[in-house]
Amino acid sequence: MVELNLFHYSDRGTFLHRVNPITKIGALLLFSLIISTTSLTGLVLFFLSFLVLLWVIALPILQYRREFRFFLMMGTIIGCVRALQGNGWEDPFSAVVRFASIICMGIIFADTSAPDDISRAVGHTLSYIPRVHGNRIGTTIELTISTIPLLFDISMEVYVSRRARGEQAWKHPVRYIVSYTSTIFEHMLDRAQILERALTARHFNPDADRGHFGYTWRDLIVVMVSIACTAINWWWL
């Protein structure tokens, strides 16, 4: 079956792969705030910067043409809806670029951050807060993040299976959508049950301390770049 690679972790050993997930989460939140408030020029510049980062982390973009169709369709819908509001061309263009930037940031974070590393980093950080079960929260985050690529994989598997059986969505669109959605949720529940049995068989303890993810000079560089981008956006963009 076809497996989607977007929003999957790939261990390629790049600079961003070695950055602490907490640092990347902070940078992600900061850049999300920036692109939500910056001008059109700033949006275009940050979007181009994210494309450069995708090239730096060696993401094989050309191999994911099928997966990008969904985001292209969503971006087109967003642009058309904003254009129908009659606010000129800048407003719909900004909305589309902002949407594309958010997708790029999500891909960069997911591709360079292993769910296990995120769990260890978040759990260790939150464990310093009194009466907070940091390791349990980190484990919950890890399982939640793991379901994102699983959902995309199952969606593609169901789609390919139905195409192979010759099903056509345009004949009965409502019935097809309902059946397609229910099939995806059934497969998700089956995979969740398999995962639950596997964790139970291994006597998995969500409160167990699995170590921590340390900080290096790479984290300092990411923090400095994030602050510099914020300053540039504040004063010049």
Side-chain angles (χ1 to χ4, degrees), residues 58-196:
L59 186 75
I61 300 177
L62 296 180
Q63 298 181 13
Y64 303 145
R65 294 187 297 271
R66 184 193 302 270
E67 292 85 344
F68 279 121
R69 291 177 185 174
F70 172 77
F71 299 116
L72 179 61
M73 180 183 65
M74 293 297 298
T76 303
I77 293 175
I78 292 173
C80 292
V81 171
R82 299 296 287 266
L84 291 175
Q85 296 177 357
N87 296 325
W89 67 271
E90 290 189 3
D91 182 65
F93 183 72
S94 298
V96 173
V97 176
R98 186 175 291 110
F99 172 75
S101 300
I102 293 174
I103 296 301
C104 287
M105 288 192 298
I107 294 174
I108 292 171
F109 179 76
D111 187 80
T112 61
S113 305
D116 179 67
D117 292 339
I118 298 174
S119 174
R120 290 189 293 121
V122 173
H124 180 76
T125 301
L126 295 180
S127 62
Y128 289 106
I129 303 176
R131 298 184 180 181
V132 173
H133 301 282
N135 294 316
R136 179 179 291 270
I137 295 176
T139 302
T140 303
I141 294 175
E142 177 183 3
L143 294 176
T144 303
I145 293 176
S146 299
T147 60
I148 297 176
L150 180 62
L151 176 61
F152 278 91
D153 290 341
I154 292 177
S155 300
M156 181 57 68
E157 290 176 3
V158 174
Y159 173 77
V160 173
S161 299
R162 288 174 177 259
R163 285 288 300 273
R165 293 197 298 265
E167 295 187 13
Q168 297 178 347
W170 59 269
K171 287 187 176 180
H172 304 283
V174 177
R175 183 189 305 173
Y176 182 88
I177 293 174
V178 173
S179 176
Y180 182 78
T181 306
S182 61
T183 303
I184 291 176
F185 277 103
E186 287 177 4
H187 283 280
M188 285 290 295
L189 291 175
D190 290 339
R191 299 287 181 88
Q193 188 176 25
I194 294 174
L195 177 61
E196 187 271 337

Side-chain angles (χ1 to χ4, degrees), residues 4-119:
L4 281 167
N5 292 312
L6 284 181
F7 300 108
H8 285 69
Y9 171 70
S10 302
D11 188 8
R12 290 190 291 272
T14 64
F15 177 88
L16 287 178
H17 283 77
R18 297 185 175 93
V19 176
N20 192 299
I22 295 295
T23 305
K24 286 185 282 190
I25 291 175
L28 191 66
L29 295 175
L30 186 59
F31 280 108
S32 298
L33 178 62
I34 291 175
I35 66 173
S36 65
T37 58
T38 189
S39 62
L40 178 59
T41 303
L43 273 176
V44 174
L45 291 177
F46 282 113
F47 175 63
L48 294 177
S49 300
F50 296 145
L51 291 181
V52 172
L53 277 179
L54 290 176
W55 175 76
V56 170
I57 65 177
L59 186 75
I61 300 177
L62 296 180
Q63 298 181 13
Y64 303 145
R65 294 187 297 271
R66 184 193 302 270
E67 292 85 344
F68 279 121
R69 291 177 185 174
F70 172 77
F71 299 116
L72 179 61
M73 180 183 65
M74 293 297 298
T76 303
I77 293 175
I78 292 173
C80 292
V81 171
R82 299 296 287 266
L84 291 175
Q85 296 177 357
N87 296 325
W89 67 271
E90 290 189 3
D91 182 65
F93 183 72
S94 298
V96 173
V97 176
R98 186 175 291 110
F99 172 75
S101 300
I102 293 174
I103 296 301
C104 287
M105 288 192 298
I107 294 174
I108 292 171
F109 179 76
D111 187 80
T112 61
S113 305
D116 179 67
D117 292 339
I118 298 174
S119 174

Side-chain angles (χ1 to χ4, degrees), residues 207-229:
D207 292 314
D209 186 8
R210 292 184 288 170
H212 66 280
F213 201 99
Y215 295 92
T216 64
W217 57 270
R218 299 179 180 87
D219 298 277
L220 179 60
I221 293 179
V222 172
V223 171
M224 294 176 62
V225 170
S226 301
I227 295 176
C229 290

